[in-house]
Amino acid sequence: MFTKWLQDVFDCPLVIQLTDDEKFLFKNELTVEKVLEFTKKNAKDIIAMGFNPAKTFIFSNFAYVGGAFYVNVQKIARQITFNQARSTFGFTESDNIGKIHFCAIQAAPSFSNSFPHIFGTKKDIPCLIPCAIDQDPYFRLTRDAAVKLKYPKPALIHSKFFPALQGPQTKMSASDPNSAIYLSDTPQQIRNKIKRHAFSGGQETIEEHRRLGGNPDVDVAYQYLGFLLQDDEQYVKLGADYRAGTLSTGEMKDLCIEELTKLVKTIQNAQAKVTDEVIRQFMDPTRKYDLGFT
Protein backbone atom coordinates (compact mmCIF):
# COMPACT_ATOMS: atom_id res chain seq x y z
CA MET A 1 0.00 0.00 0.00
CA PHE A 2 2.84 2.38 0.81
CA THR A 3 4.63 1.46 -2.42
CA LYS A 4 1.41 2.15 -4.33
CA TRP A 5 1.24 5.56 -2.65
CA LEU A 6 4.84 6.30 -3.68
CA GLN A 7 4.11 5.42 -7.30
CA ASP A 8 1.02 7.65 -7.32
CA VAL A 9 2.83 10.60 -5.73
CA PHE A 10 5.99 10.45 -7.85
CA ASP A 11 4.31 9.06 -11.00
CA CYS A 12 7.33 6.83 -11.45
CA PRO A 13 8.21 3.43 -12.93
CA LEU A 14 8.15 0.54 -10.49
CA VAL A 15 9.93 -2.83 -10.67
CA ILE A 16 8.79 -5.62 -8.34
CA GLN A 17 11.01 -8.67 -7.88
CA LEU A 18 9.36 -11.96 -6.89
CA THR A 19 12.12 -13.97 -5.26
CA ASP A 20 10.83 -17.47 -5.92
CA ASP A 21 14.41 -18.75 -6.04
CA GLU A 22 15.00 -17.46 -2.51
CA LYS A 23 12.01 -19.41 -1.20
CA PHE A 24 13.34 -22.55 -2.86
CA LEU A 25 16.87 -22.09 -1.52
CA PHE A 26 15.97 -21.16 2.05
CA LYS A 27 13.03 -23.53 2.66
CA ASN A 28 14.05 -27.11 2.02
CA GLU A 29 10.49 -28.41 2.31
CA LEU A 30 9.35 -26.47 -0.79
CA THR A 31 9.37 -27.87 -4.31
CA VAL A 32 9.87 -25.73 -7.40
CA GLU A 33 6.26 -26.41 -8.37
CA LYS A 34 4.96 -25.17 -5.01
CA VAL A 35 7.14 -22.09 -5.17
CA LEU A 36 5.78 -21.23 -8.62
CA GLU A 37 2.24 -21.49 -7.22
CA PHE A 38 3.21 -18.96 -4.56
CA THR A 39 4.69 -16.69 -7.24
CA LYS A 40 1.43 -16.52 -9.17
CA LYS A 41 -0.57 -15.89 -6.01
CA ASN A 42 1.87 -13.21 -4.84
CA ALA A 43 1.66 -11.48 -8.23
CA LYS A 44 -2.14 -11.48 -8.02
CA ASP A 45 -2.10 -10.02 -4.51
CA ILE A 46 0.33 -7.29 -5.58
CA ILE A 47 -1.62 -6.33 -8.70
CA ALA A 48 -4.79 -6.06 -6.60
CA MET A 49 -3.18 -3.10 -4.79
CA GLY A 50 -3.86 -1.03 -7.91
CA PHE A 51 -0.43 -0.33 -9.39
CA ASN A 52 -0.26 1.51 -12.72
CA PRO A 53 0.23 -1.21 -15.39
CA ALA A 54 1.86 1.28 -17.78
CA LYS A 55 4.62 1.93 -15.25
CA THR A 56 4.92 -1.39 -13.38
CA PHE A 57 6.97 -4.48 -14.25
CA ILE A 58 6.61 -7.55 -12.02
CA PHE A 59 9.05 -10.38 -12.60
CA SER A 60 9.88 -13.79 -11.21
CA ASN A 61 13.56 -14.60 -10.78
CA PHE A 62 12.99 -18.10 -12.13
CA ALA A 63 11.46 -16.71 -15.31
CA TYR A 64 13.40 -13.49 -15.91
CA VAL A 65 17.02 -13.77 -14.77
CA GLY A 66 19.33 -13.65 -17.78
CA GLY A 67 20.83 -11.19 -20.24
CA ALA A 68 21.74 -7.75 -18.85
CA PHE A 69 20.20 -8.63 -15.49
CA TYR A 70 22.48 -11.66 -15.11
CA VAL A 71 25.49 -9.61 -16.17
CA ASN A 72 24.81 -7.28 -13.23
CA VAL A 73 24.30 -10.27 -10.92
CA GLN A 74 27.81 -11.44 -11.75
CA LYS A 75 29.33 -7.96 -11.46
CA ILE A 76 27.81 -7.64 -8.00
CA ALA A 77 28.78 -11.20 -6.99
CA ARG A 78 32.43 -10.44 -7.74
CA GLN A 79 32.33 -7.53 -5.27
CA ILE A 80 30.99 -9.57 -2.32
CA THR A 81 33.31 -12.01 -0.57
CA PHE A 82 32.24 -15.15 1.23
CA ASN A 83 33.43 -13.62 4.50
CA GLN A 84 31.17 -10.59 3.95
CA ALA A 85 28.16 -12.79 3.21
CA ARG A 86 28.86 -15.04 6.18
CA SER A 87 29.32 -12.19 8.64
CA THR A 88 26.21 -10.38 7.33
CA PHE A 89 23.81 -13.33 7.21
CA GLY A 90 25.36 -15.84 9.60
CA PHE A 91 25.89 -18.57 6.99
CA THR A 92 27.66 -21.77 8.02
CA GLU A 93 29.51 -24.45 6.09
CA SER A 94 26.31 -26.53 5.96
CA ASP A 95 24.34 -23.84 4.05
CA ASN A 96 23.85 -24.44 0.35
CA ILE A 97 25.88 -22.25 -2.01
CA GLY A 98 22.69 -20.79 -3.51
CA LYS A 99 21.97 -18.94 -0.26
CA ILE A 100 25.44 -17.38 -0.30
CA HIS A 101 25.05 -16.18 -3.89
CA PHE A 102 21.47 -14.98 -3.58
CA CYS A 103 22.42 -11.52 -2.30
CA ALA A 104 23.78 -10.67 -5.76
CA ILE A 105 20.46 -11.63 -7.35
CA GLN A 106 18.40 -9.53 -4.94
CA ALA A 107 20.77 -6.60 -5.46
CA ALA A 108 20.58 -6.50 -9.27
CA PRO A 109 17.15 -4.77 -9.56
CA SER A 110 18.66 -1.77 -7.74
CA PHE A 111 20.37 -0.76 -10.98
CA SER A 112 18.46 0.52 -14.01
CA ASN A 113 20.61 -1.18 -16.65
CA SER A 114 19.39 -4.55 -15.33
CA PHE A 115 16.19 -3.77 -17.27
CA PRO A 116 17.16 -2.74 -20.82
CA HIS A 117 13.57 -3.26 -22.04
CA ILE A 118 12.52 -0.44 -19.70
CA PHE A 119 15.52 1.85 -19.22
CA GLY A 120 17.78 0.93 -22.13
CA THR A 121 21.45 1.12 -21.19
CA LYS A 122 21.01 3.93 -18.65
CA LYS A 123 22.86 3.12 -15.44
CA ASP A 124 22.48 6.45 -13.64
CA ILE A 125 18.78 6.33 -12.72
CA PRO A 126 18.42 6.54 -8.92
CA CYS A 127 16.51 3.78 -7.13
CA LEU A 128 14.32 3.98 -4.02
CA ILE A 129 13.52 0.67 -2.31
CA PRO A 130 10.62 0.48 0.15
CA CYS A 131 11.14 -2.70 2.14
CA ALA A 132 10.79 -4.34 5.53
CA ILE A 133 13.65 -3.92 7.97
CA ASP A 134 14.69 -7.58 7.64
CA GLN A 135 15.85 -6.88 4.06
CA ASP A 136 18.29 -4.20 5.16
CA PRO A 137 21.41 -6.45 5.24
CA TYR A 138 21.00 -7.29 1.56
CA PHE A 139 20.97 -3.67 0.54
CA ARG A 140 23.85 -2.65 2.79
CA LEU A 141 25.99 -5.01 0.73
CA THR A 142 24.31 -3.69 -2.43
CA ARG A 143 25.27 -0.12 -1.56
CA ASP A 144 28.88 -1.18 -0.97
CA ALA A 145 28.96 -2.97 -4.33
CA ALA A 146 27.41 0.06 -6.07
CA VAL A 147 30.36 2.24 -5.13
CA LYS A 148 32.83 -0.24 -6.64
CA LEU A 149 30.74 -0.57 -9.81
CA LYS A 150 30.27 3.21 -10.10
CA TYR A 151 26.48 2.82 -9.96
CA PRO A 152 24.27 5.15 -7.89
CA LYS A 153 23.65 3.77 -4.42
CA PRO A 154 20.03 2.67 -3.89
CA ALA A 155 18.15 4.47 -1.12
CA LEU A 156 15.88 2.59 1.29
CA ILE A 157 12.71 3.35 3.23
CA HIS A 158 12.13 0.78 5.98
CA SER A 159 8.63 -0.29 6.94
CA LYS A 160 7.41 -1.76 10.20
CA PHE A 161 6.04 -5.26 10.51
CA PHE A 162 2.44 -5.75 11.58
CA PRO A 163 2.75 -7.36 15.03
CA ALA A 164 1.40 -10.87 15.47
CA LEU A 165 -2.03 -10.95 17.09
CA GLN A 166 -0.48 -12.38 20.26
CA GLY A 167 1.51 -9.21 20.87
CA PRO A 168 4.41 -7.00 19.75
CA GLN A 169 7.06 -9.43 21.02
CA THR A 170 5.72 -12.37 19.01
CA LYS A 171 5.95 -13.32 15.34
CA MET A 172 3.33 -14.26 12.80
CA SER A 173 3.54 -17.91 11.86
CA ALA A 174 2.21 -19.69 8.78
CA SER A 175 1.56 -22.72 11.01
CA ASP A 176 -0.72 -20.69 13.31
CA PRO A 177 -3.65 -19.11 11.43
CA ASN A 178 -4.64 -17.22 14.57
CA SER A 179 -1.39 -15.27 14.63
CA ALA A 180 -2.33 -13.05 11.67
CA ILE A 181 -5.11 -11.64 9.53
CA TYR A 182 -5.10 -13.17 6.03
CA LEU A 183 -6.33 -11.49 2.86
CA SER A 184 -8.52 -14.55 2.37
CA ASP A 185 -10.26 -14.17 5.76
CA THR A 186 -14.02 -13.66 5.92
CA PRO A 187 -15.52 -10.84 8.02
CA GLN A 188 -16.45 -13.42 10.68
CA GLN A 189 -12.94 -14.85 10.77
CA ILE A 190 -11.49 -11.35 11.15
CA ARG A 191 -13.90 -10.62 13.99
CA ASN A 192 -13.11 -13.89 15.78
CA LYS A 193 -9.37 -13.43 15.47
CA ILE A 194 -9.39 -9.88 16.84
CA LYS A 195 -11.90 -10.59 19.60
CA ARG A 196 -10.30 -13.86 20.77
CA HIS A 197 -6.63 -13.61 19.92
CA ALA A 198 -5.55 -9.95 19.66
CA PHE A 199 -3.42 -9.09 22.71
CA SER A 200 -5.00 -6.41 24.86
CA GLY A 201 -3.37 -3.59 26.76
CA GLY A 202 -6.47 -3.20 28.90
CA GLN A 203 -7.18 -4.19 32.48
CA GLU A 204 -8.76 -7.42 33.72
CA THR A 205 -12.19 -5.87 34.31
CA ILE A 206 -14.03 -2.92 32.85
CA GLU A 207 -14.11 -1.29 36.30
CA GLU A 208 -10.32 -1.50 36.62
CA HIS A 209 -9.92 -0.24 33.06
CA ARG A 210 -12.07 2.80 33.73
CA ARG A 211 -10.05 3.50 36.89
CA LEU A 212 -6.49 2.68 35.74
CA GLY A 213 -6.68 3.01 31.98
CA GLY A 214 -4.99 0.81 29.39
CA ASN A 215 -1.65 0.66 27.60
CA PRO A 216 -2.05 1.28 23.85
CA ASP A 217 1.67 0.68 23.29
CA VAL A 218 1.13 -3.08 23.67
CA ASP A 219 -2.47 -3.27 22.50
CA VAL A 220 -2.54 -5.06 19.14
CA ALA A 221 -5.86 -3.57 17.98
CA TYR A 222 -4.46 -0.07 18.57
CA GLN A 223 -1.20 -0.95 16.82
CA TYR A 224 -3.12 -2.23 13.79
CA LEU A 225 -5.18 0.96 13.67
CA GLY A 226 -1.90 2.86 13.35
CA PHE A 227 -1.50 1.22 9.93
CA LEU A 228 -5.14 1.46 8.92
CA LEU A 229 -6.39 4.92 9.92
CA GLN A 230 -5.79 7.87 7.61
CA ASP A 231 -6.46 10.46 10.32
CA ASP A 232 -3.42 10.84 12.60
CA GLU A 233 -5.30 13.06 15.04
CA GLN A 234 -7.98 10.41 15.45
CA TYR A 235 -5.29 7.80 16.11
CA VAL A 236 -3.62 9.93 18.79
CA LYS A 237 -6.99 10.61 20.45
CA LEU A 238 -7.78 6.89 20.56
CA GLY A 239 -4.52 6.28 22.38
CA ALA A 240 -5.19 9.09 24.86
CA ASP A 241 -8.73 7.85 25.52
CA TYR A 242 -7.48 4.31 26.03
CA ARG A 243 -4.88 5.48 28.55
CA ALA A 244 -7.54 7.50 30.33
CA GLY A 245 -9.86 4.49 30.51
CA THR A 246 -12.69 6.22 28.64
CA LEU A 247 -12.22 3.87 25.67
CA SER A 248 -12.53 0.18 26.45
CA THR A 249 -10.67 -2.77 24.96
CA GLY A 250 -13.89 -3.98 23.33
CA GLU A 251 -14.47 -0.61 21.69
CA MET A 252 -10.87 -0.49 20.44
CA LYS A 253 -11.20 -3.98 18.98
CA ASP A 254 -14.51 -3.08 17.32
CA LEU A 255 -12.85 -0.14 15.57
CA CYS A 256 -10.00 -2.37 14.45
CA ILE A 257 -12.41 -5.01 13.14
CA GLU A 258 -14.32 -2.38 11.17
CA GLU A 259 -11.18 -1.01 9.49
CA LEU A 260 -9.66 -4.43 8.80
CA THR A 261 -12.89 -5.75 7.31
CA LYS A 262 -13.16 -2.77 4.97
CA LEU A 263 -9.56 -3.14 3.81
CA VAL A 264 -9.67 -6.90 3.29
CA LYS A 265 -13.00 -6.69 1.45
CA THR A 266 -11.63 -3.99 -0.86
CA ILE A 267 -8.57 -6.11 -1.66
CA GLN A 268 -10.65 -9.26 -2.19
CA ASN A 269 -12.88 -7.41 -4.66
CA ALA A 270 -9.80 -6.20 -6.54
CA GLN A 271 -8.26 -9.70 -6.52
CA ALA A 272 -11.38 -11.11 -8.16
CA LYS A 273 -10.72 -8.88 -11.17
CA VAL A 274 -7.08 -10.00 -11.63
CA THR A 275 -7.18 -12.64 -14.36
CA ASP A 276 -4.31 -14.76 -15.69
CA GLU A 277 -4.16 -12.40 -18.66
CA VAL A 278 -3.73 -9.38 -16.38
CA ILE A 279 -0.88 -11.18 -14.57
CA ARG A 280 0.80 -11.95 -17.92
CA GLN A 281 0.57 -8.29 -18.92
CA PHE A 282 2.27 -7.09 -15.74
CA MET A 283 5.01 -9.74 -16.14
CA ASP A 284 5.57 -9.30 -19.88
CA PRO A 285 9.17 -8.13 -20.50
CA THR A 286 8.48 -7.28 -24.15
CA ARG A 287 5.85 -4.57 -23.71
CA LYS A 288 6.46 -0.82 -23.76
CA TYR A 289 6.48 1.29 -20.61
CA ASP A 290 5.45 4.87 -19.93
CA LEU A 291 8.40 6.17 -17.93
CA GLY A 292 7.43 9.82 -17.91
CA PHE A 293 11.03 10.75 -18.84
CA THR A 294 13.60 10.01 -21.53
Side-chain angles (χ1 to χ4, degrees):
M1 291 168 62
F2 177 60
T3 304
K4 165 70 164 59
W5 180 85
L6 287 173
Q7 186 182 55
D8 290 346
V9 169
F10 293 108
D11 191 27
C12 61
L14 171 67
V15 172
I16 299 175
Q17 180 183 37
L18 300 179
T19 55
D20 36 21
D21 49 347
E22 179 189 27
K23 290 183 179 69
F24 181 71
L25 291 169
F26 283 78
K27 297 185 177 181
N28 290 330
E29 71 276 13
L30 293 180
T31 64
V32 170
E33 292 74 21
K34 192 65 179 177
V35 166
L36 290 174
E37 285 181 29
F38 291 153
T39 297
K40 184 175 180 180
K41 185 178 184 305
N42 291 157
K44 187 172 185 176
D45 291 343
I46 291 167
I47 292 168
M49 293 295 106
F51 293 106
N52 181 352
K55 295 180 182 290
T56 305
F57 175 51
I58 302 173
F59 71 97
S60 145
N61 282 347
F62 275 155
Y64 181 76
V65 173
F69 188 99
Y70 190 65
V71 170
N72 264 346
V73 168
Q74 295 308 311
K75 286 181 178 180
I76 296 162
R78 198 162 75 172
Q79 306 304 321
I80 301 172
T81 67
F82 172 66
N83 281 340
Q84 284 178 304
R86 180 172 58 184
S87 63
T88 300
F89 300 105
F91 294 136
T92 68
E93 292 178 357
S94 63
D95 282 302
N96 66 64
I97 59 175
K99 291 182 181 180
I100 299 162
H101 181 255
F102 177 74
C103 178
I105 300 173
Q106 179 151 323
S110 305
F111 309 120
S112 55
N113 61 349
S114 292
F115 304 99
H117 68 290
I118 303 176
F119 304 108
T121 58
K122 291 179 181 291
K123 60 180 182 180
D124 59 349
I125 298 175
C127 175
L128 174 64
I129 305 170
C131 63
I133 187 67
D134 64 328
Q135 299 302 301
D136 181 73
Y138 286 103
F139 295 112
R140 286 181 180 271
L141 291 178
T142 303
R143 285 168 59 83
D144 291 342
V147 173
K148 299 172 186 177
L149 295 172
K150 294 182 169 51
Y151 289 162
K153 288 183 179 182
L156 276 71
I157 295 181
H158 292 145
S159 62
K160 292 181 180 180
F161 284 112
F162 266 71
L165 290 176
Q166 284 69 31
Q169 304 307 316
T170 61
K171 290 185 178 181
M172 296 182 186
S173 171
S175 62
D176 181 4
N178 292 320
S179 67
I181 302 296
Y182 297 150
L183 293 180
S184 57
D185 282 347
T186 65
Q188 189 58 48
Q189 286 173 318
I190 293 171
R191 182 173 184 80
N192 289 343
K193 286 182 179 183
I194 296 298
K195 285 291 190 180
R196 298 177 184 177
H197 301 286
F199 185 81
S200 167
Q203 304 298 333
E204 290 293 327
T205 66
I206 189 65
E207 291 77 17
E208 287 184 352
H209 187 82
R210 297 299 186 201
R211 181 168 58 87
L212 301 173
N215 181 2
D217 296 333
V218 299
D219 190 275
V220 167
Y222 181 73
Q223 297 303 314
Y224 274 34
L225 286 166
F227 292 94
L228 300 169
L229 293 176
Q230 297 296 314
D231 188 335
D232 290 344
E233 291 184 2
Q234 180 189 5
Y235 181 63
V236 170
K237 185 176 187 305
L238 288 174
D241 290 347
Y242 198 63
R243 285 190 176 91
T246 55
L247 183 71
S248 70
T249 294
E251 290 168 330
M252 184 75 81
K253 286 188 173 184
D254 285 340
L255 285 169
C256 181
I257 291 165
E258 179 183 349
E259 294 298 324
L260 275 171
T261 302
K262 284 193 297 187
L263 174 63
V264 171
K265 185 62 176 175
T266 298
I267 294 172
Q268 288 174 348
N269 289 339
Q271 285 174 330
K273 300 175 183 177
V274 180
T275 63
D276 288 349
E277 178 57 30
V278 171
I279 295 174
R280 281 193 291 271
Q281 289 174 3
F282 271 90
M283 301 184 75
D284 180 5
T286 65
R287 64 190 175 92
K288 300 297 182 181
Y289 293 82
D290 175 18
L291 301 183
F293 60 87
T294 57

